[in-house]
Amino acid sequence: MALTDLSKNVRRYMKLQKLSIPQLAAKSSLGTATLSNILNGKSAPNSSTLIKISSALGVSFPELLAEIPKLKTLRFRTKSKLTAREVAERDQVEIDSAIWLKNYVDLEELTGTKSVFKFDKITATNPMEAAKEVRKVCKIKDAEPIYDLVSLVEGAGIKLYLNDFNFQKTFGLSVNKEDGGPAIIVNNSEAISVERKIFTIAHELGHLLLHKSSFDGEVSEENNAEEKQADMFAGELLMPEEAFFKQWEAHRGISWIDAVLQIKQYFGVSYQTVLYRLNDLMKDRFPSGYLHKEFARLYRQKYGHDLKNHYEPNSIADIAPAKNEPKELSSFNFTEERFERLVRQAYEQEKISISRAAEILNLSAEEMRERVAEWL
């Protein structure tokens, strides 16, 4: 047992639960000096002490003793500096992602189904050109919407993790090939609209292609220039400029807010993404932020309720909460299947046990048996 991993695990769970040393000491019936020595790696606790700590923290024995994995090519950016609890939440996201990615790589090796990264030869440094090259590789016409970005990304050899993680300072992160990727991890919280999650995948793909040197395993605040480039890439990939203009012309016979809603559904993007494209089209006619505010006013007037986020966001990557996205796409438009398909394949080939399958999918033994019974 590595004392450094143990102490880091205990500290992380303490921060997640907002427990001080005296509070955890009282909850576990241990002395503060004993607990401090464990946290500082000065003493190795016996099994009785470990049981008391794990019980007080509400985590399993293996979780407390687990080796902390490290992703060397993680790209994890946050919008602002973090509190101690947010650092613990961020660390937990990284650990969960590392464990998931290791399991994914193991499953590919066990089943002999390793994916090939199809975008390796894309070298464009201009976001718009890179997006066009992705469409070309995937044989998607310029005027054609991307109906299933999840399948497109997975078909291109990118591992995708939809994880409802308890960390609100980022929508997604990505990992490069050295750690078993490329991989994209998306914040799959129900509070975030499906459209925003789709945009996150496209945004992180932009980073994978445009900003290879930023995959250094470090966690830092966002680089505005890189974020803007990833936004531009995502906007062009999901809603090519020429295709947008054609759709806008095709809807000139209806009110402009209904045209925005029609176009957002056609391309599967958020209404704010459409407004940004529209702002580019009409930037000489209206001041910055006008269209966002006017859309919210007219939407309230026509449909009888507010869009809470009617301010002008800093970028099209800013959050559009699910409850504030008009005519939101269904969650059925955003599902990932390959990972569980590999679990099933490995289980049916008797490469893994049902208990290992349950562990990989984070299910109880009973839930896993029910899942197996649902397979056709």
Side-chain angles (χ1 to χ4, degrees), residues 76-130:
F76 198 151
R77 301 294 184 264
T78 59
K79 289 182 175 294
S80 58
K81 292 183 179 179
L82 306 179
T83 64
R85 178 172 180 174
E86 287 171 340
V87 169
E89 292 171 347
R90 178 206 66 197
D91 289 347
Q92 191 61 51
V93 172
E94 181 177 355
I95 290 169
D96 291 343
S97 299
I99 293 171
W100 161 81
L101 188 52
K102 183 181 184 306
N103 286 333
Y104 207 135
V105 171
D106 289 345
L107 287 168
E108 284 189 326
E109 291 178 353
L110 286 171
T111 58
T113 54
K114 188 174 181 179
S115 54
V116 177
F117 186 42
K118 293 183 179 180
F119 303 144
D120 238 349
K121 294 183 180 179
I122 294 178
T123 57
T125 56
N126 179 286
M128 312 297 276
E129 292 303 317

Side-chain angles (χ1 to χ4, degrees), residues 332-344:
F332 290 108
N333 296 97
F334 193 74
T335 56
E336 186 279 327
E337 299 179 4
R338 185 170 187 262
F339 184 67
E340 185 166 339
R341 189 164 65 246
L342 287 173
V343 173
R344 176 178 179 175

Side-chain angles (χ1 to χ4, degrees), residues 67-82:
E67 180 182 352
I68 297 177
K70 180 67 176 174
L71 294 170
K72 297 178 181 178
T73 61
L74 175 72
R75 189 185 192 283
F76 198 151
R77 301 294 184 264
T78 59
K79 289 182 175 294
S80 58
K81 292 183 179 179
L82 306 179

